[in-house]
Amino acid sequence: MTNYKNYTNKEMQAITIAKTIQDGQIVIVGTGLPLIGASLAKRIFAPNCKLIVESGLMDCNPIEVPRSVGDTRFMAHCGVQWPNVRFIGFETNEWLNDKDRMIAFIGGAQIDPYGNVNSTCIGDYHNPITRFTGSGGANGIATYSNTVIMMQHEKRRFIDKIDYVTSVGWGDGVGGREKLGLPGNRGPIAVVTDRGILKFDDKTKRMYLAGYYPTSSPEDVLENTGFELDVSKAVRLDAPDEAVIKMIREEIDPGQAFIKVPVEEK
């Protein structure tokens, strides 16, 4: 008999991502865990959300998780196929017309207490230890949309000062975005990791632990964070329903492209 009680932290992360999406929102999503989470939201938690990708595909409803934003599994069930420039215009127009219905997902290699993200390099920009692919569309997305940041929770990633700011979060705190000429009414709203969910204080814009998984704890999160973190408001999140885990494994990602199913011991 198939066991759907043995969920993984990645599955918990995808479910937590799904629950950040509200019904009726327009969701900018790429591939990987954010797409699994968004697909799950559309099936269960927010059936009227609309998924869009930066390749220009709008109102997507993939049968199973695509491998890239140009995958035909995205194209076959989308409302319209726009060129990329139309996507950028749509994203900007939402902000210019003061719409507040868009949420976006980005990731990176490093993050600081105010949600500034580095996806460019580790070390000096001109002589890096490691060079990454860079922004892609993340900088523009972080400029004009409220974002949820997806990260693996490790001390080397959660640090006081990141090596390079690829996508601005709340800058240096309250008023930080405005000082940089960016919209102050947009910014990161959460960070979803493999240990829990972190949010940003309304008054200080600094990150705090809002919830942790049954497999984690506030102490575990603190041990894996490289800066001072408030955990006083953290709550233990509920374990997922078996039906949700079954949907991820059998309908959304049956090929285990992004989430591997744990092997049962014999």
Side-chain angles (χ1 to χ4, degrees), residues 76-90:
H77 298 276
C78 69
V80 63
Q81 298 177 20
W82 274 348
N84 174 258
V85 68
R86 291 289 298 277
F87 162 84
I88 296 170
F90 177 78

Side-chain angles (χ1 to χ4, degrees), residues 42-64:
K42 195 165 182 67
R43 284 168 166 81
I44 299 178
F45 303 110
N48 297 303
C49 70
K50 309 293 184 183
L51 311 188
I52 69 175
V53 295
E54 61 183 311
S55 59
L57 306 178
M58 314 295 285
D59 196 9
C60 305
N61 190 18
I63 292 177
E64 64 179 60

Side-chain angles (χ1 to χ4, degrees), residues 113-115 170 173-175 184 200-207:
Y114 297 103
W170 293 111
V174 177
F200 296 88
D201 185 85
D202 290 336
K203 294 180 179 179
T204 66
K205 299 301 183 185
R206 188 180 174 94
M207 193 185 302

Side-chain angles (χ1 to χ4, degrees), residues 47-221:
N48 297 303
C49 70
K50 309 293 184 183
L51 311 188
I52 69 175
V53 295
E54 61 183 311
S55 59
L57 306 178
M58 314 295 285
D59 196 9
C60 305
N61 190 18
I63 292 177
E64 64 179 60
V65 63
R67 301 319 195 253
S68 74
V69 294
D71 194 315
T72 53
R73 279 168 287 198
F74 255 141
M75 297 179 185
H77 298 276
C78 69
V80 63
Q81 298 177 20
W82 274 348
N84 174 258
V85 68
R86 291 289 298 277
F87 162 84
I88 296 170
F90 177 78
E91 174 187 33
T92 308
N93 196 57
E94 284 287 301
W95 173 70
L96 289 173
N97 286 280
D98 203 25
K99 302 290 186 183
D100 196 18
R101 56 181 180 170
M102 191 173 282
I103 187 172
F105 293 88
I106 64 172
Q110 294 177 329
I111 189 168
D112 72 12
Y114 297 103
N116 301 297
V117 172
N118 173 21
S119 57
T120 299
C121 65
I122 300 297
D124 179 72
Y125 178 82
H126 298 287
N127 188 27
I129 299 169
T130 305
R131 176 79 70 185
F132 302 115
T133 53
S135 170
N139 178 273
I141 289 169
T143 295
Y144 294 113
S145 304
N146 291 321
T147 54
V148 173
I149 302 160
M150 195 279 291
M151 298 278 290
Q152 299 309 296
H153 208 132
E154 301 172 348
K155 186 172 286 189
R156 66 190 178 100
R157 296 177 182 272
F158 283 70
I159 59 177
D160 261 316
K161 184 175 175 56
I162 59 179
D163 293 338
Y164 187 91
V165 179
T166 309
S167 303
V168 178
W170 293 111
D172 58 1
V174 177
R177 288 177 64 86
E178 291 88 339
K179 284 188 288 186
L180 297 170
L182 302 177
N185 61 345
R186 297 290 187 271
I189 57 176
V191 183
V192 178
T193 81
D194 54 339
R195 300 178 192 275
I197 181 169
L198 304 102
K199 297 184 179 180
F200 296 88
D201 185 85
D202 290 336
K203 294 180 179 179
T204 66
K205 299 301 183 185
R206 188 180 174 94
M207 193 185 302
Y208 68 91
L209 181 64
Y212 56 92
Y213 302 154
T215 54
S216 185
S217 67
E219 293 75 21
D220 176 48
V221 172

